[in-house]
Amino acid sequence: MTATETSTTVVPDFGDDASDRKICFICSKGNLDMAYPALIMANGALGEGIETHIFFTFWGMDMINKKTMDDLRFTPLGNAAMHMPPGMGKLSDKHMPQGMGGLPGMTGMATKMLKKQIADVDVPEVPEFLQMLADMGAQLWACKLSVDMMGLEQDDLFDEVIDIINVSQFMELSEGAQIIFV
């Protein structure tokens, strides 16, 4: 495409009443970089008036566990898509060598760098984001199996988690919904 050509984005027509739509996000990862995709998409869905549910399971429980939710980490280890940090000139366009990810202190440095990049675009940290979503009407659910495996109870979870539900209950509440697994 040249600079004089324009791009036309085609947006699907879901009807005039977005309130008839329902979406469920399944959060299965507790890494900092895996927490944000579902939260950002849930925010967009709520902004469009779509009924929104977020189901936390396995390591995604770290996002709603009061003891861990303020300390989500990001590691470059195994992340072949990670670029060198911004501000390094032409090196910023290069992928970080995988061997560097295993060096001591790299997880802390990568976490700090990602948190700064997130803050620079005015995206709240995970606990604040969850509160904002709950205030907007998102319904937050914890997986019973994961809660039991981790020895947690309702009091251990973010206050806005509505309930701890099993898979059958999740299947019932997600009937007719678009389901996105993160």
Side-chain angles (χ1 to χ4, degrees), residues 24-153:
C24 296
F25 296 96
I26 300 172
C27 295
S28 66
K29 306 262 191 288
N31 294 359
L32 186 63
D33 60 320
M34 294 304 295
Y36 280 100
L39 302 181
I40 291 166
M41 288 186 289
N43 183 58
L46 288 162
E48 294 296 320
I50 299 169
E51 181 181 334
T52 303
H53 299 265
I54 309 174
F55 182 71
F56 299 89
T57 189
F58 284 87
W59 300 119
M61 295 292 299
D62 283 352
M63 293 171 63
I64 57 169
N65 181 337
K66 289 177 183 175
K67 291 180 182 175
T68 57
M69 65 189 301
D70 285 318
D71 192 31
L72 301 183
R73 305 277 177 110
F74 170 62
T75 180
L77 194 60
N79 184 351
M82 185 167 172
H83 292 264
M84 297 295 282
M88 295 186 70
K90 290 183 180 186
L91 284 178
S92 295
D93 296 335
K94 304 293 182 197
H95 292 283
M96 180 175 284
Q98 285 295 287
M100 287 181 65
L103 296 174
M106 286 301 288
T107 295
M109 183 188 79
T111 299
K112 184 176 180 180
M113 183 180 78
L114 183 58
K115 283 187 173 190
K116 181 185 179 326
Q117 289 175 304
I118 290 168
D120 286 350
V121 293
D122 294 324
V123 174
E125 292 201 22
V126 170
E128 297 166 79
F129 210 152
L130 286 168
Q131 185 63 56
M132 181 181 81
L133 293 172
D135 291 346
M136 291 171 64
Q139 297 180 38
L140 311 179
W141 307 93
C143 172
K144 177 153 179 40
L145 175 67
S146 298
V147 166
D148 291 347
M149 281 177 28
M150 295 176 187
L152 300 172
E153 303 205 8

Side-chain angles (χ1 to χ4, degrees), residues 164-180:
I164 300 166
I165 61 175
N166 63 35
V167 173
S168 295
Q169 291 167 309
F170 175 73
M171 291 299 145
E172 187 175 319
L173 92 86
S174 66
E175 186 171 341
Q178 180 179 3
I179 299 175
I180 298 176

